[in-house]
């Protein structure tokens, strides 16, 4: 078992390589998942708000005030681009 | 809403593929890690550092593969105005950047014990660094415009211009003097690598590919939802 962790004396090079790859791929997956959930939640909110009111009510000049957008909480950096 | 007819059909397909891609990622990754770290021999020259190869080489392959796929999608998007290919390019570039970063970082950890240096400014390493910056530029350009369509267009042009870098990376080890070893798997006279090392290498390569499919499909689903949010907001503003 000790041999396994030692990596023939190269433990300081082999393990960080696997560690970096694991961390980068895991983080990318977590950010992707959060981005997806945030977008789908906003879409569901908008569609629900739209379904509640008949169309002609929104034809007047009370525009975006009725739309419950920009309610999403703080997001990871790559989602911020979409928020403006 | 006819504009979304296509993305909706795409969503169906994506949702059908996703569980298989995610399952394949987990299984291939577990098998790949077992063969990479336990059930493969040490190299007679490089000792255990050869195990770095099983992350480094598949990541570098992915870096090139993702960029090529992104460039093809960008060409399709520019020529046929196919909305799903724009979304693919947008979803793919962060994944490509991640694989390029992994290839660069693991390369440094392999270079230090074998070459005696973390980094050299030679053709292979420098062209790989340029690829990383191309990915970052692509991501930045994508989000630099208020109108997403302009972002898609500008980023697609960048992806197409930058694709000249891909053959430069591939052949850099043959064209210039370099510390980096030449290709030993994808070569004209067949692979020059022991089968015991080929197994973990291929398992990890397929694991990374399955990971790429999973993450890109999830990102594209997010982008489609985001585009619908934008479309609904616009229709509310403009009546």
């Amino acid at each position: 078992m000790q041999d396994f962790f030692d990596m023939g004396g190269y433990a300081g090079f082999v393990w960080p390589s696997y560690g970096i790859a694991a961390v980068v791929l895991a983080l990318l997956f977590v950010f992707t998942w959060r981005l997806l959930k945030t977008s789908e939640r906003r879409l569901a909110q908008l569609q629900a708000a739209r379904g509640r009111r008949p169309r002609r009510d929104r034809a007047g000049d009370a525009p975006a005030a009725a739309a419950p957008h920009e309610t999403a909480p703080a997001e990871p950096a790559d989602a911020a681009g979409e928020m403006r | 809403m006819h504009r979304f007819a296509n993305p909706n059909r795409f969503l169906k397909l994506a949702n059908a593929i996703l569980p298989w891609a995610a399952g394949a990622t987990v299984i291939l990754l577990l098998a790949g890690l077992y063969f990479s770290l336990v059930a493969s021999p040490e190299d007679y020259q490089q000792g255990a550092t050869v195990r770095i190869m099983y992350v480094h080489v598949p990541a570098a392959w992915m870096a090139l593969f993702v960029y090529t796929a992104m460039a093809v999608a960008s060409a399709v998007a520019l020529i046929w105005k196919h909305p799903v290919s724009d979304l693919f390019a947008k979803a793919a570039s962060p994944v490509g950047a991640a694989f390029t970063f992994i290839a660069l970082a693991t390369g440094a950890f392999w270079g230090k014990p074998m070459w005696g240096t973390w980094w050299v400014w030679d053709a292979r390493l420098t062209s790989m660094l340029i690829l990383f910056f191309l990915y970052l530029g692509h991501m930045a350009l994508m989000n630099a415009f208020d109108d997403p369509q302009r972002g898609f267009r500008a980023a697609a042009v960048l992806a197409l211009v930058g694709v000249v870098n891909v053959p430069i990376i591939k052949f850099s080890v043959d064209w210039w003097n370099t510390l980096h070893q030449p290709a030993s798997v994808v070569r004209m006279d067949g692979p020059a690598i022991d089968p015991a090392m080929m197994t973990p290498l291929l398992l990890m390569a397929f694991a990374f590919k399955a990971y790429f499919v999973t993450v890109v499909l999830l990102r594209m689903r997010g982008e489609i939802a985001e585009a619908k949010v934008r479309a609904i907001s616009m229709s509310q503003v403009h009546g």
Side-chain angles (χ1 to χ4, degrees):
Chain A
M1 202 60 189
Q2 194 54 42
D3 282 356
F4 175 68
F5 288 111
D6 261 2
M7 282 291 159
Y10 291 114
F13 300 103
V14 175
W15 291 116
S17 298
Y18 281 79
I20 288 171
V23 167
V24 169
L25 294 182
L27 277 182
L28 180 64
F29 181 81
V30 169
F31 283 145
T32 297
W33 190 256
R34 278 170 51 181
L35 189 73
L36 171 67
K37 289 299 140 190
T38 308
S39 308
E40 286 186 340
R41 196 167 52 237
R42 286 173 65 193
L43 178 61
Q45 281 171 354
L46 272 183
Q47 282 174 337
R50 194 184 209 197
R52 276 201 300 274
R53 263 163 294 139
R55 272 185 157 276
R56 57 184 187 285
D57 282 5
R58 286 183 288 100
D61 58 355
H69 61 230
E70 310 303 311
T71 52
E75 286 172 83
D78 46 347
E82 288 293 330
M83 302 282 292
R84 285 204 295 277
Chain B
M1 293 290 275
H2 72 276
R3 191 158 103 67
F4 292 118
N6 213 342
N8 279 336
R9 214 176 327 142
F10 168 81
L11 270 182
K12 252 190 188 159
L13 185 68
N15 289 335
I17 297 172
L18 262 169
W20 295 96
T25 308
V26 173
I27 291 168
L28 287 166
L29 210 53
L30 289 177
L33 284 174
Y34 173 71
F35 277 96
S36 309
L37 292 169
V38 184
S40 61
E42 294 192 353
D43 188 75
Y44 77 103
Q45 281 181 328
Q46 306 199 5
T49 59
V50 75
R51 303 198 194 284
I52 298 173
M53 173 175 75
Y54 307 129
V55 182
H56 175 76
V57 170
W61 281 344
M62 286 308 292
L64 295 181
F65 167 80
V66 173
Y67 197 93
T68 310
M70 206 172 82
V72 171
S74 299
V76 170
L78 284 176
I79 297 166
W80 289 292
K81 310 253 176 275
H82 194 295
V84 175
S85 10
D86 275 327
L87 294 179
F88 172 81
K90 186 172 186 183
S93 60
V95 191
F99 280 121
T100 313
F101 178 80
I102 291 171
L104 288 167
T106 56
F109 274 110
W110 201 3
K112 184 61 184 167
M114 288 301 113
W115 301 342
T117 177
W118 300 100
W119 182 264
V120 279
W121 289 103
D122 81 345
R124 172 55 73 86
L125 279 71
T126 308
S127 54
M128 217 41 198
L129 187 65
I130 291 172
L131 183 73
F132 184 59
F133 290 141
L134 279 171
Y135 276 123
L136 294 189
H138 187 267
M139 287 155 67
L141 208 50
M142 209 38 119
N143 293 312
F145 299 91
D146 283 346
D147 175 7
Q149 290 306 320
R150 290 183 61 196
F152 285 141
R153 237 187 124 74
V157 172
L158 174 72
L160 282 176
V161 173
V163 82
V164 291
N165 194 33
V166 170
I168 292 178
I169 295 173
K170 168 73 184 136
F171 296 110
S172 57
V173 283
D174 306 325
W175 292 345
W176 292 287
N177 261 324
T178 171
L179 277 180
H180 198 285
Q181 61 173 315
S184 46
V185 178
V186 186
R187 45 191 275 165
M188 297 301 268
D189 50 355
I193 179 172
D194 194 86
M197 293 179 176
M198 199 61 159
T199 308
L201 192 59
L202 288 183
L203 281 172
M204 291 299 273
F206 286 121
F208 281 5
K209 195 140 289 179
Y211 172 92
F212 168 73
V213 171
T214 309
V215 170
V216 158
L217 289 179
L218 289 173
R219 294 186 83 86
M220 288 176 78
R221 241 173 72 178
E223 291 297 336
I224 289 174
E226 206 56 43
K228 286 180 178 173
V229 166
R230 257 194 313 270
I232 293 176
S233 306
M234 291 289 266
S235 74
Q236 282 175 342
V237 171
H238 300 300

